[in-house]
Amino acid sequence: MSGFLKGTSKKLNTTMGFFLLTVVLFCFKTYLIYKTKFSLGVKGDVQEFLLAVNIIPSALLLLGISLYFRGRLRYWLMLIIDFLQSCWLFANILYYREFSDFLSFGVIKGSGDVSNNLGKSISEIIKPTDFLAFADVVLLIILLATKVIRMDPQPFKRRFAATITVLAFALMGAEFGIANRDRSGLLTRTFDNNYIVKYLGINEYAAFSAYQTQKESATRAKASASDLNSVKRFVRQNKTAVNPTYYGRAKGRNVIIIHLESFQQFLINYKVNGREVTPNLNRFYRNQNTVSFDNFFHQVGQGKTSDAEMMLENSLFGLPQGSAMTTYGAQNTFQAAPAILGQHGYTSAAFHGDVPSFWNRDNTYKSWGYNYFFSSSYYKTKPNYSVGYGLKDKIFFRDSAKYLQMLPQPFYAKLITLTNHYPYELDKANVDFPATKTGDKTVDPYVQTAHYLDEAFGEFLTYLKQAGLYKKSLLVLYGDHYGISNNHRPAIAQLLHKDDITNYDLAQFQKVPFMVHTPGLKGGINHTYGGEIDVLPTLFDLLGINNQKTIQFGQDLLATHRRQIVAFRDGDFVTPQYTKSSGTVYNTKTGAVLDPTKKQQAQIDQDQNYVTTQLSLSDRVVQGDLLRFYQLKAFKTVDKKKYNYKYATGMDQLKTAQKQKPTSVEVRHKGKPTATYRTNAPELK
């Protein structure tokens, strides 16, 4: 035994021995912190394996830098590099505790000082166990100071140092290959920093964040106010005159937006075994005070839900790749619905039963001017309360109601449902609807989660009526994107009762619901063609908000003279006459492949030019952060530092707001409930 200890001690007294010890200690410490300080949502053997090993490549690479130097300097550099990595780890522990997200260089740059983001003093956030981040550094210093380990003055061969560097890059490549196989498009479809950390590691996340920030900064630095000229010209030329039948019909009313996750238009009035999938939504769709659009399309790209939110709140498209909210949400200047309505006396709030970091909402919502963001920490939860991506819809709506009635009126509230999300999982206690029988395991349960969402919506609608909010509000329902992707063509054909489907059918399959409802509104089914980019100008005209000078790429869907061109993110489009999909043009009314005449081709080319221009100019606004150059007299730029969505802070601010503006349902009823929220959720019985 003593011989083994002597042998081990002798090896540790070499440069390579000390280097390997440093790497092992750092990796072990980091893994413990992953497991105890962060909630990364690790699922499956592949993710568990990658979490355990993903820190090794960057540790070898960074600590290996010291091996290129001589004598004692090698050891000091190893300790300094270890210490700096530990500081980054420590800072992320504190930031994650406050915001359930990891620090990005964009956030650091945008805030000027990380402490501005924390919202509390460090002493209130910190825990003694957080100093585990420095445990290995302290241990190594003690071992060297007490000469348990002695520094090796012998030269270290550079070819060995180079071998370690090459090995580090090789391991990074292998790690990324495994990660990308398990999570396709990991870096091009980034929607949650948790994913990058659990797959690639916190150091790789830092490198990716730095790259993103540098890329954004370069694009932003090249931009100038003159870049807005073509944007303003395009927007001005395509503004529509308001429709006097609808303009201002919802003036001063609350706005309640219900985000129907992955909900497609074909579900409206759809039946399985003679039963309606969505009876509550069907009734709402046909209500005499509801305007329902049956040719309304989602227009999202890789950003999926985040693209839908970007269009809804800003009338700006998502990006060709990745998510605009993730990439630019924290840094850019926006003139979004919450901020504009806030300057017209509205209180704004978003509700979401998952972690605030998803799609970078916790940072983006500050840029958009949301007063409150009720995310996972605001909801009581038990293991059976959640499924898939967060809180089940029935529980989510029930628990959101208490916050909704606390908001000073008028308010602008967006509630994001989650249960009808791929892979459409639902426990047996909540399944009371038959699955379809296409034979596709992904597609068949889709109607079951859609039916559950419909029941949750019905319960929420009953609550709004009993609470007195129904008649005081403009209700807006929209589907954010497809639920069944084009990869399921045989199943889609069965759902649509067709023998086969074409690209035309798939393009038409991208329709999602859009409904606006308020008492006294002249309702009916509106056949105009439009998409998510058109939602914001439609809402503003209904509310009587002058938006003639704002940069919005959509048009009011209720306007009588408007372009009915729906641009898809890949450059294809749909109009009442033509559908262009994958290079083929179809007759929109018949679905037949079109051999266009000269006159038709001229119109198609004109439509294509409009779509290309609209998309490229929107991208220019987002990527160049051009709205920082666009000053409106009627709009005050958002101060992101005003907002803190942590539970304790948010509740304190809400109580203060109630005193300053005593118009909430709760205050008007002196704290007494105006209605008992009734739900048949089995988890609550």
Side-chain angles (χ1 to χ4, degrees), residues 166-439:
V166 171
L167 175 63
F169 280 115
L171 290 175
M172 280 184 184
E175 174 193 349
F176 181 76
I178 297 171
N180 207 49
R181 194 175 300 116
D182 191 64
R183 178 70 194 180
S184 179
L186 178 62
L187 297 183
T188 58
R189 284 190 62 236
T190 53
F191 55 85
D192 192 345
N193 293 330
N194 282 312
Y195 274 72
I196 300 177
V197 173
K198 74 179 176 182
Y199 276 111
L200 301 182
I202 198 162
N203 286 336
E204 283 82 349
Y205 162 73
F208 179 69
S209 172
Y211 166 74
Q212 277 192 315
T213 303
Q214 188 279 329
K215 183 180 177 182
E216 294 159 21
S217 297
T219 303
R220 192 177 190 275
K222 293 177 183 177
S224 65
S226 62
D227 293 331
L228 267 174
N229 293 337
S230 56
V231 173
K232 289 189 288 187
R233 185 165 52 252
F234 177 86
V235 171
R236 184 174 60 251
Q237 290 172 348
N238 291 286
K239 283 285 185 184
T240 56
V242 300
N243 185 335
T245 302
Y246 291 101
Y247 186 80
R249 292 306 299 267
K251 189 175 182 63
R253 294 183 181 178
N254 302 316
V255 180
I256 300 176
I257 297 175
I258 299 178
H259 172 115
L260 302 171
E261 173 63 44
S262 304
F263 196 98
Q264 293 180 243
Q265 176 69 15
F266 85 90
L267 288 168
I268 298 296
N269 296 324
Y270 193 80
K271 294 181 180 180
V272 177
N273 298 343
R275 290 180 60 189
E276 291 180 299
V277 178
T278 58
N280 293 300
L281 286 166
N282 294 345
R283 283 191 293 272
F284 189 82
Y285 184 81
R286 297 189 298 265
N287 187 284
Q288 64 179 355
N289 295 318
T290 301
V291 180
S292 300
F293 296 85
D294 61 355
N295 288 310
F296 182 86
F297 294 77
H298 80 77
Q299 297 171 282
V300 307
Q302 291 182 336
K304 296 294 190 297
T305 297
S306 68
D307 286 357
E309 289 192 68
M310 176 65 75
M311 288 182 277
L312 173 79
E313 310 277 24
N314 301 274
S315 199
L316 294 171
F317 285 96
L319 299 176
Q321 291 184 324
S323 161
M325 281 175 59
T326 301
T327 308
Y328 296 100
Q331 293 82 32
N332 273 23
T333 298
F334 294 95
Q335 294 173 358
I340 293 173
L341 291 175
Q343 293 169 34
H344 284 80
Y346 277 75
T347 305
S348 57
F351 299 77
H352 178 55
D354 199 3
V355 295
S357 62
F358 209 88
W359 288 125
N360 197 32
R361 287 187 176 99
D362 50 347
N363 293 310
T364 303
Y365 285 175
K366 293 174 184 175
S367 299
W368 291 355
Y370 265 112
N371 298 120
Y372 307 101
F373 178 24
F374 301 100
S375 60
S376 54
S377 63
Y378 285 81
Y379 298 92
K380 292 182 180 179
T381 185
K382 293 181 181 180
N384 63 341
Y385 280 17
S386 297
V387 65
Y389 284 81
L391 207 61
K392 293 174 184 174
D393 292 341
K394 290 182 181 180
I395 301 172
F396 167 68
F397 276 127
R398 187 204 70 154
D399 290 354
S400 296
K402 64 181 178 183
Y403 298 121
L404 197 68
Q405 65 186 23
M406 292 174 70
L407 296 176
Q409 300 183 79
F411 58 71
Y412 173 86
K414 177 175 64 178
L415 295 98
I416 302 173
T417 64
L418 283 169
T419 307
N420 193 47
H421 194 296
Y422 174 82
Y424 314 117
E425 297 174 327
L426 202 57
D427 50 292
K428 291 182 179 179
N430 279 293
V431 174
D432 62 352
F433 196 83
T436 53
K437 296 180 180 179
T438 67

Side-chain angles (χ1 to χ4, degrees), residues 470-488:
Y470 182 78
K471 292 183 178 180
K472 297 179 180 178
S473 303
L474 172 66
L475 296 180
V476 181
L477 276 66
Y478 82 108
D480 63 340
H481 55 74
Y482 62 81
I484 301 171
S485 76
N486 291 348
N487 296 326
H488 302 276

